[in-house]
Amino acid sequence: MEYFLIFISAIFVNNIVLSQFLGICPFLGVSKKINTAAGMGAAVAFVLTLATLVTYLLQVYILNPFNLQYLQTLAFILVIASLVQMVEIILKKVSPALYAALGIFLPLITTNCAVLGVAILVIQKEYNLLQSIIYAFSTALGFALALIVFAGLREQLALAKIPKGMQGVAIVLITAGILSLAFMGFSGVDSGLKQLIVNN
């Protein structure tokens, strides 16, 4: 039940983009079309889960035993950048079609602060390895969900008659704010699940 709570909470209640405001750059930049949003979401899901696994092991087995915690941010950034490059090289050799589909999105993941944010959050929350992987994967799903929903809204906005003063970035930011408010409605779900766990 605890893992289910982490899963639901990371996707809906504490959505990495709409609640914690991490990964805003790709959220605004790669959300003009649903297919590009889905591609970015898939690429982030893969890299974020893999990066969290590697950075967790790095923290537990290297940084903590040798009292090198002060190198955490630097080490994590290097690991994430290296993983993105490695994934890019492997995809290019193994699956050129998938590389062509995700090629543009992979370099963007290196600068996505959501990946670094999740890697640091699992250490701060003192999750074990399985909890960390579940949290990372569900956070990536939450990121992809927010990105795809927002892309759908932006596609509809392109067909709407918007006043001249509201066109462009203004309507995009207002829409993102309303979507964030909509996700706040899930906060009751988190409380209800926690109460259910306590009662059982």
Side-chain angles (χ1 to χ4, degrees):
M1 196 65 172
E2 184 188 349
Y3 297 114
F4 181 69
L5 179 60
I6 291 171
F7 184 78
I8 294 297
S9 179
I11 294 175
F12 298 108
V13 183
N14 297 316
N15 188 284
I16 197 79
V17 182
L18 301 172
S19 295
Q20 301 181 53
F21 307 109
L22 292 171
I24 294 289
C25 184
F27 179 70
L28 295 175
V30 194
S31 59
K32 290 180 182 174
K33 292 185 178 179
I34 291 176
N35 58 347
T36 55
M40 182 64 170
V44 167
F46 179 73
V47 172
L48 198 146
T49 307
L50 187 64
T52 303
L53 171 65
V54 174
T55 53
Y56 179 88
L57 295 173
L58 176 71
Q59 180 76 34
V60 171
Y61 295 108
I62 296 173
L63 299 181
N64 288 350
F66 295 102
N67 291 318
L68 297 172
Q69 291 90 341
Y70 59 90
L71 291 174
Q72 184 191 66
T73 305
L74 181 63
F76 283 14
I77 289 170
L78 289 171
V79 165
I80 291 164
S82 302
L83 278 173
V84 171
Q85 288 299 312
M86 186 183 75
V87 167
E88 210 170 338
I89 291 164
I90 291 169
L91 277 180
K92 196 172 185 179
K93 296 223 183 235
V94 175
S95 178
L98 186 60
Y99 174 77
L102 298 177
I104 11 173
F105 306 122
L106 284 171
L108 288 173
I109 297 168
T110 309
T111 57
N112 187 347
C113 58
V115 180
L116 178 63
V118 170
I120 292 172
L121 279 171
V122 295
I123 304 300
Q124 289 177 348
K125 290 175 183 275
E126 297 181 352
Y127 283 157
N128 62 35
L129 183 59
L130 183 57
Q131 288 173 326
S132 299
I133 292 168
I134 290 169
Y135 180 75
F137 182 69
S138 51
T139 298
L141 286 180
F143 178 83
L145 174 69
L147 201 60
I148 291 165
V149 168
F150 191 55
L153 290 171
R154 286 185 73 175
E155 283 188 1
Q156 291 300 311
L157 283 172
L159 304 172
K161 288 184 179 178
I162 299 163
K164 194 172 182 182
M166 297 293 291
Q167 290 175 2
V169 178
I171 194 66
V172 169
L173 292 175
I174 288 169
T175 307
I178 293 169
L179 185 61
S180 182
L181 286 170
F183 268 72
M184 281 178 67
F186 291 113
S187 59
V189 174
D190 191 41
S191 311
L193 284 172
K194 282 178 183 172
Q195 192 62 42
L196 189 66
I197 290 170
V198 169
N199 292 341
N200 291 335

